[in-house]
Amino acid sequence: MIKKVPYFNIHQIADSGQTFRWYPHEKGYIVVANHKAMTITQEGETIQITSLFGDSVDWPAYLGLDEDYEKIIDELTGKDDYLDKAIGFGRGIRILKQDPYEMVITFIISANNNIKRITSAVKLLSERYGTCLCEVDGVSYYDFPTPEELKNVTIEEYRACGLGYRDQYVYAFIQEIHKGLDVKKLKVLSDTALKDALLRLKGVGEKVANCILLFGYDRKEGFPIDTWIKKVLLAHYPVSEDKLKSFAECYFKPHGGIAQQYLFYYGRFHKN
DNA sequence: GTCCAGGCTCTTT
DNA sequence: AAAGAGCATGGA
Protein backbone atom coordinates (compact mmCIF):
# COMPACT_ATOMS: atom_id res chain seq x y z
CA MET A 1 0.00 0.00 0.00
CA ILE A 2 1.37 3.37 -1.02
CA LYS A 3 -0.13 6.70 -0.04
CA LYS A 4 0.79 10.36 -0.26
CA VAL A 5 0.17 11.99 3.09
CA PRO A 6 0.96 15.56 4.17
CA TYR A 7 1.81 16.33 7.81
CA PHE A 8 3.13 12.86 8.39
CA ASN A 9 6.64 11.85 9.41
CA ILE A 10 7.39 8.31 10.53
CA HIS A 11 10.48 9.29 12.50
CA GLN A 12 8.66 11.97 14.45
CA ILE A 13 5.80 9.60 15.21
CA ALA A 14 8.19 6.87 16.32
CA ASP A 15 9.99 9.30 18.64
CA SER A 16 6.95 11.11 19.99
CA GLY A 17 6.57 8.96 23.09
CA GLN A 18 3.04 7.81 22.34
CA THR A 19 3.99 4.33 21.13
CA PHE A 20 6.72 1.91 22.15
CA ARG A 21 6.16 -0.61 19.39
CA TRP A 22 7.80 0.99 16.37
CA TYR A 23 11.04 -0.91 15.87
CA PRO A 24 13.65 0.68 13.60
CA HIS A 25 14.24 -1.51 10.57
CA GLU A 26 16.38 -0.53 7.59
CA LYS A 27 15.18 2.95 6.59
CA GLY A 28 11.79 2.64 8.25
CA TYR A 29 10.09 0.72 11.04
CA ILE A 30 8.44 -2.54 11.84
CA VAL A 31 5.20 -1.70 13.63
CA VAL A 32 3.19 -4.06 15.81
CA ALA A 33 -0.38 -3.08 16.69
CA ASN A 34 -3.86 -4.54 16.86
CA HIS A 35 -2.61 -8.13 16.50
CA LYS A 36 -0.91 -7.22 13.23
CA ALA A 37 2.55 -6.29 12.02
CA MET A 38 3.78 -4.18 9.11
CA THR A 39 6.78 -2.34 7.77
CA ILE A 40 6.46 1.35 7.07
CA THR A 41 8.86 3.52 5.10
CA GLN A 42 8.65 7.05 3.81
CA GLU A 43 10.12 9.22 1.08
CA GLY A 44 8.91 12.78 1.03
CA GLU A 45 5.18 12.72 1.57
CA THR A 46 4.87 9.20 0.24
CA ILE A 47 4.56 6.39 2.73
CA GLN A 48 4.69 2.71 1.93
CA ILE A 49 3.07 0.07 4.09
CA THR A 50 3.78 -3.61 3.71
CA SER A 51 1.78 -6.04 5.78
CA LEU A 52 3.84 -8.70 7.56
CA PHE A 53 1.01 -10.36 9.43
CA GLY A 54 -2.75 -9.90 9.11
CA ASP A 55 -4.57 -7.83 6.53
CA SER A 56 -3.77 -4.18 6.00
CA VAL A 57 -7.23 -2.61 6.01
CA ASP A 58 -6.89 -1.17 9.52
CA TRP A 59 -3.54 0.56 9.16
CA PRO A 60 -4.83 3.86 7.70
CA ALA A 61 -7.17 4.30 10.67
CA TYR A 62 -4.43 3.36 13.16
CA LEU A 63 -2.12 5.92 11.58
CA GLY A 64 -4.78 8.62 11.65
CA LEU A 65 -4.57 9.13 7.90
CA ASP A 66 -8.21 10.21 7.73
CA GLU A 67 -7.67 13.12 10.12
CA ASP A 68 -7.40 16.65 8.77
CA TYR A 69 -4.13 17.81 10.30
CA GLU A 70 -3.94 20.81 8.01
CA LYS A 71 -7.06 22.14 9.70
CA ILE A 72 -5.85 21.26 13.20
CA ILE A 73 -2.49 22.92 12.65
CA ASP A 74 -4.18 25.92 11.12
CA GLU A 75 -6.35 26.29 14.22
CA LEU A 76 -3.36 25.99 16.56
CA THR A 77 -1.08 28.30 14.62
CA GLY A 78 -0.75 31.94 15.69
CA LYS A 79 -1.54 31.48 19.37
CA ASP A 80 2.05 32.16 20.42
CA ASP A 81 5.58 31.96 19.06
CA TYR A 82 6.65 28.98 21.11
CA LEU A 83 3.80 26.77 19.92
CA ASP A 84 4.38 27.94 16.34
CA LYS A 85 8.01 26.82 16.62
CA ALA A 86 6.97 23.51 18.17
CA ILE A 87 4.48 22.86 15.38
CA GLY A 88 7.05 23.76 12.75
CA PHE A 89 9.51 21.35 14.34
CA GLY A 90 7.11 18.45 14.79
CA ARG A 91 4.60 19.02 12.02
CA GLY A 92 4.79 15.34 11.02
CA ILE A 93 3.47 14.03 14.33
CA ARG A 94 0.10 12.31 14.34
CA ILE A 95 -1.82 10.79 17.20
CA LEU A 96 -1.99 7.06 16.61
CA LYS A 97 -5.22 5.25 17.38
CA GLN A 98 -4.00 2.52 19.66
CA ASP A 99 -5.67 -0.23 21.63
CA PRO A 100 -7.10 0.96 24.98
CA TYR A 101 -6.13 -2.19 26.88
CA GLU A 102 -2.55 -1.95 25.65
CA MET A 103 -2.46 1.75 26.53
CA VAL A 104 -3.57 1.10 30.10
CA ILE A 105 -0.71 -1.32 30.72
CA THR A 106 1.83 0.69 28.75
CA PHE A 107 1.10 3.94 30.56
CA ILE A 108 0.91 2.32 33.98
CA ILE A 109 4.49 1.26 33.22
CA SER A 110 5.36 4.78 32.06
CA ALA A 111 4.86 6.38 35.48
CA ASN A 112 8.07 7.88 36.88
CA ASN A 113 9.97 6.00 34.17
CA ASN A 114 11.87 6.86 31.01
CA ILE A 115 11.09 6.03 27.40
CA LYS A 116 13.95 3.63 26.96
CA ARG A 117 12.94 1.53 29.96
CA ILE A 118 9.27 1.61 29.00
CA THR A 119 10.16 0.34 25.52
CA SER A 120 12.25 -2.42 27.03
CA ALA A 121 9.53 -3.52 29.45
CA VAL A 122 6.83 -3.63 26.75
CA LYS A 123 9.17 -5.62 24.51
CA LEU A 124 9.92 -8.15 27.23
CA LEU A 125 6.25 -8.53 28.11
CA SER A 126 5.44 -9.18 24.46
CA GLU A 127 8.32 -11.59 23.86
CA ARG A 128 7.60 -13.63 26.96
CA TYR A 129 3.81 -13.76 26.90
CA GLY A 130 2.61 -12.57 23.48
CA THR A 131 2.15 -14.49 20.25
CA CYS A 132 4.86 -14.45 17.60
CA LEU A 133 3.46 -12.68 14.54
CA CYS A 134 6.37 -12.78 12.12
CA GLU A 135 10.10 -13.09 11.71
CA VAL A 136 12.21 -10.61 9.79
CA ASP A 137 15.96 -10.99 9.29
CA GLY A 138 16.04 -13.60 12.01
CA VAL A 139 14.25 -11.37 14.52
CA SER A 140 10.82 -12.35 15.84
CA TYR A 141 8.10 -9.78 16.45
CA TYR A 142 5.48 -10.50 19.08
CA ASP A 143 1.95 -9.29 19.58
CA PHE A 144 1.14 -7.45 22.79
CA PRO A 145 -0.04 -10.18 25.20
CA THR A 146 -3.79 -10.58 25.57
CA PRO A 147 -5.57 -10.65 28.95
CA GLU A 148 -5.82 -14.42 28.53
CA GLU A 149 -2.08 -14.71 27.94
CA LEU A 150 -1.38 -12.64 31.06
CA LYS A 151 -3.96 -14.38 33.21
CA ASN A 152 -1.52 -16.53 35.15
CA VAL A 153 1.50 -14.23 35.12
CA THR A 154 2.69 -13.50 38.65
CA ILE A 155 3.78 -10.21 40.17
CA GLU A 156 7.31 -11.58 40.32
CA GLU A 157 7.25 -12.37 36.61
CA TYR A 158 6.13 -8.82 35.84
CA ARG A 159 8.97 -7.58 38.00
CA ALA A 160 11.35 -9.75 35.98
CA CYS A 161 10.23 -7.86 32.84
CA GLY A 162 11.55 -4.67 34.40
CA LEU A 163 8.26 -3.15 35.53
CA GLY A 164 9.69 -2.25 38.94
CA TYR A 165 7.12 -1.41 41.59
CA ARG A 166 4.42 -1.11 38.89
CA ASP A 167 4.27 -4.91 38.73
CA GLN A 168 1.39 -5.07 41.21
CA TYR A 169 -0.64 -2.48 39.27
CA VAL A 170 -0.52 -4.43 36.02
CA TYR A 171 -1.29 -7.61 37.93
CA ALA A 172 -4.34 -5.98 39.52
CA PHE A 173 -5.53 -4.65 36.15
CA ILE A 174 -5.45 -8.15 34.62
CA GLN A 175 -7.37 -9.45 37.62
CA GLU A 176 -9.99 -6.73 37.08
CA ILE A 177 -10.41 -7.81 33.47
CA HIS A 178 -10.95 -11.41 34.47
CA LYS A 179 -13.53 -10.23 36.97
CA GLY A 180 -15.49 -8.61 34.15
CA LEU A 181 -13.91 -5.23 33.31
CA ASP A 182 -14.02 -4.52 29.56
CA VAL A 183 -12.08 -1.39 28.67
CA LYS A 184 -13.41 -1.38 25.11
CA LYS A 185 -16.92 -0.88 26.44
CA LEU A 186 -15.83 2.31 28.19
CA LYS A 187 -15.62 4.12 24.87
CA VAL A 188 -19.32 4.97 25.02
CA LEU A 189 -18.67 7.13 28.09
CA SER A 190 -18.10 10.88 28.11
CA ASP A 191 -14.56 12.16 28.57
CA THR A 192 -15.04 12.80 32.27
CA ALA A 193 -16.87 9.53 32.98
CA LEU A 194 -14.24 7.61 31.04
CA LYS A 195 -11.43 9.28 32.95
CA ASP A 196 -13.16 8.56 36.27
CA ALA A 197 -13.44 4.89 35.33
CA LEU A 198 -9.73 4.73 34.48
CA LEU A 199 -8.73 6.57 37.66
CA ARG A 200 -10.17 3.71 39.70
CA LEU A 201 -7.37 1.45 38.45
CA LYS A 202 -4.27 1.17 40.63
CA GLY A 203 -1.33 2.95 39.09
CA VAL A 204 -3.53 5.22 36.98
CA GLY A 205 -3.51 8.85 38.05
CA GLU A 206 -4.39 12.09 36.32
CA LYS A 207 -1.53 12.11 33.82
CA VAL A 208 -1.66 8.43 32.90
CA ALA A 209 -5.45 8.60 32.50
CA ASN A 210 -5.08 11.54 30.13
CA CYS A 211 -2.55 9.62 28.04
CA ILE A 212 -4.88 6.62 27.83
CA LEU A 213 -7.75 8.87 26.74
CA LEU A 214 -5.61 10.56 24.11
CA PHE A 215 -3.81 7.55 22.64
CA GLY A 216 -6.36 4.79 23.27
CA TYR A 217 -9.76 6.44 23.01
CA ASP A 218 -9.25 9.21 20.48
CA ARG A 219 -10.11 11.91 23.06
CA LYS A 220 -8.04 14.88 22.06
CA GLU A 221 -9.02 17.57 24.57
CA GLY A 222 -7.09 16.35 27.60
CA PHE A 223 -3.60 17.72 28.18
CA PRO A 224 -1.33 15.17 29.91
CA ILE A 225 1.19 16.92 32.16
CA ASP A 226 4.48 15.19 32.80
CA THR A 227 7.81 16.52 33.99
CA TRP A 228 8.84 17.69 30.50
CA ILE A 229 5.64 19.50 29.67
CA LYS A 230 5.57 21.07 33.10
CA LYS A 231 8.96 22.65 32.50
CA VAL A 232 7.91 23.83 29.04
CA LEU A 233 4.70 25.47 30.25
CA LEU A 234 6.32 27.17 33.24
CA ALA A 235 9.15 28.51 31.10
CA HIS A 236 7.11 29.77 28.14
CA TYR A 237 3.56 30.47 29.29
CA PRO A 238 2.06 32.86 31.85
CA VAL A 239 0.83 30.20 34.24
CA SER A 240 1.49 29.15 37.82
CA GLU A 241 2.28 25.60 38.83
CA ASP A 242 -1.10 24.89 40.42
CA LYS A 243 -3.09 25.87 37.33
CA LEU A 244 -1.11 24.11 34.60
CA LYS A 245 -3.73 21.67 33.40
CA SER A 246 -6.76 23.97 33.46
CA PHE A 247 -4.76 26.66 31.72
CA ALA A 248 -3.50 24.32 29.00
CA GLU A 249 -6.82 22.64 28.30
CA CYS A 250 -8.51 26.02 27.99
CA TYR A 251 -5.75 27.75 26.04
CA PHE A 252 -5.29 24.99 23.44
CA LYS A 253 -8.92 23.90 23.28
CA PRO A 254 -10.15 21.79 21.53
CA HIS A 255 -6.74 20.43 20.55
CA GLY A 256 -5.08 20.11 23.97
CA GLY A 257 -3.79 16.62 23.37
CA ILE A 258 -2.28 17.39 19.99
CA ALA A 259 -0.76 20.67 21.14
CA GLN A 260 0.76 18.76 24.02
CA GLN A 261 2.38 16.32 21.60
CA TYR A 262 4.01 19.13 19.63
CA LEU A 263 5.26 20.79 22.83
CA PHE A 264 6.46 17.50 24.31
CA TYR A 265 8.37 16.59 21.17
CA TYR A 266 9.88 20.04 20.76
CA GLY A 267 10.70 20.39 24.46
CA ARG A 268 12.56 17.11 24.62
CA PHE A 269 14.83 18.11 21.76
CA HIS A 270 15.43 21.62 23.08
CA LYS A 271 16.18 21.02 26.71
CA ASN A 272 17.19 24.59 27.42
C1' DG B 1 27.75 9.02 44.60
C1' DT B 2 23.31 11.81 43.17
C1' DC B 3 19.66 12.93 40.08
C1' DC B 4 16.15 11.88 36.87
C1' DA B 5 12.64 9.58 34.05
C1' DG B 6 5.65 10.70 29.88
C1' DG B 7 3.76 9.85 38.55
C1' DC B 8 1.24 7.29 41.75
C1' DT B 9 -0.07 5.54 46.38
C1' DC B 10 -0.14 5.88 51.02
C1' DT B 11 0.53 8.40 55.21
C1' DT B 12 0.69 12.44 57.81
C1' DT B 13 -0.58 17.21 58.74
C1' DA C 1 -7.55 19.38 51.25
C1' DA C 2 -2.83 19.59 50.97
C1' DA C 3 1.86 18.22 51.49
C1' DG C 4 5.60 14.69 51.91
C1' DA C 5 7.82 10.15 51.83
C1' DG C 6 8.61 6.11 49.31
C1' DC C 7 8.91 3.65 45.36
C1' DA C 8 12.28 -0.10 41.16
C1' DT C 9 15.64 0.54 37.96
C1' DG C 10 19.11 1.93 34.61
C1' DG C 11 21.38 5.78 32.48
C1' DA C 12 23.54 10.39 32.73
Side-chain angles (χ1 to χ4, degrees), chain A residues 7 12 69 71-93 223 229 232-233 235-238 247-267 270:
Chain A
Y7 303 100
Q12 293 180 353
Y69 272 76
K71 180 168 181 281
I72 294 167
I73 285 178
D74 187 53
E75 289 174 6
L76 282 172
T77 297
K79 286 183 177 292
D80 61 83
D81 290 345
Y82 191 80
L83 180 61
D84 286 351
K85 275 191 281 186
I87 292 172
F89 184 73
R91 57 176 22 233
I93 295 171
F223 193 99
I229 270 303
V232 167
L233 287 181
H236 298 96
Y237 290 87
F247 165 80
E249 290 183 351
C250 176
Y251 182 76
F252 300 112
K253 195 172 184 174
H255 303 303
I258 298 178
Q260 193 267 10
Q261 281 300 105
Y262 293 130
L263 294 174
F264 178 81
Y265 184 75
Y266 186 68
H270 302 81

Side-chain angles (χ1 to χ4, degrees), chain A residues 82-180:
Chain A
Y82 191 80
L83 180 61
D84 286 351
K85 275 191 281 186
I87 292 172
F89 184 73
R91 57 176 22 233
I93 295 171
R94 289 196 177 217
I95 307 290
L96 300 172
K97 297 182 183 177
Q98 304 186 74
D99 177 63
Y101 155 78
E102 181 175 335
M103 290 301 95
V104 170
I105 294 178
T106 299
F107 281 90
I108 283 175
I109 295 171
S110 80
N112 194 28
N113 211 338
N114 59 59
I115 288 177
K116 186 174 180 183
R117 289 194 69 241
I118 300 164
T119 305
S120 165
V122 170
K123 187 162 182 273
L124 279 174
L125 270 182
S126 301
E127 287 174 351
R128 292 183 182 178
Y129 306 110
T131 302
C132 182
L133 298 179
C134 62
E135 188 180 320
V136 179
D137 297 340
V139 179
S140 294
Y141 292 85
Y142 293 83
D143 194 15
F144 192 85
T146 64
E148 200 55 41
E149 287 169 330
L150 293 180
K151 187 170 185 177
N152 296 314
V153 175
T154 65
I155 293 178
E156 291 73 23
E157 289 170 326
Y158 286 127
R159 178 69 62 98
C161 290
L163 301 206
Y165 63 90
R166 309 157 196 87
D167 52 3
Q168 56 187 308
Y169 304 146
V170 173
Y171 178 84
F173 175 53
I174 296 298
Q175 301 304 303
E176 285 294 315
I177 290 175
H178 289 294
K179 279 191 283 182

Side-chain angles (χ1 to χ4, degrees), chain A residues 147-264:
Chain A
E148 200 55 41
E149 287 169 330
L150 293 180
K151 187 170 185 177
N152 296 314
V153 175
T154 65
I155 293 178
E156 291 73 23
E157 289 170 326
Y158 286 127
R159 178 69 62 98
C161 290
L163 301 206
Y165 63 90
R166 309 157 196 87
D167 52 3
Q168 56 187 308
Y169 304 146
V170 173
Y171 178 84
F173 175 53
I174 296 298
Q175 301 304 303
E176 285 294 315
I177 290 175
H178 289 294
K179 279 191 283 182
L181 173 66
D182 184 348
V183 291
K184 276 192 171 58
K185 285 187 179 169
L186 300 179
K187 69 182 179 187
V188 301
L189 300 176
S190 67
D191 286 11
T192 52
L194 174 54
K195 188 195 283 187
D196 286 345
L198 293 172
L199 286 173
R200 280 190 228 118
L201 297 168
K202 292 292 183 189
V204 177
E206 182 68 27
K207 187 269 173 185
V208 168
N210 267 324
C211 281
I212 298 168
L213 256 71
L214 180 59
F215 303 135
Y217 289 93
D218 196 25
R219 309 298 174 95
K220 298 196 176 70
E221 294 207 17
F223 193 99
I225 294 182
D226 58 57
T227 57
W228 287 106
I229 270 303
K230 181 175 169 184
K231 288 175 195 162
V232 167
L233 287 181
L234 290 176
H236 298 96
Y237 290 87
V239 58
S240 58
E241 186 156 354
D242 56 328
K243 293 176 182 169
L244 287 174
K245 201 170 74 67
S246 56
F247 165 80
E249 290 183 351
C250 176
Y251 182 76
F252 300 112
K253 195 172 184 174
H255 303 303
I258 298 178
Q260 193 267 10
Q261 281 300 105
Y262 293 130
L263 294 174
F264 178 81

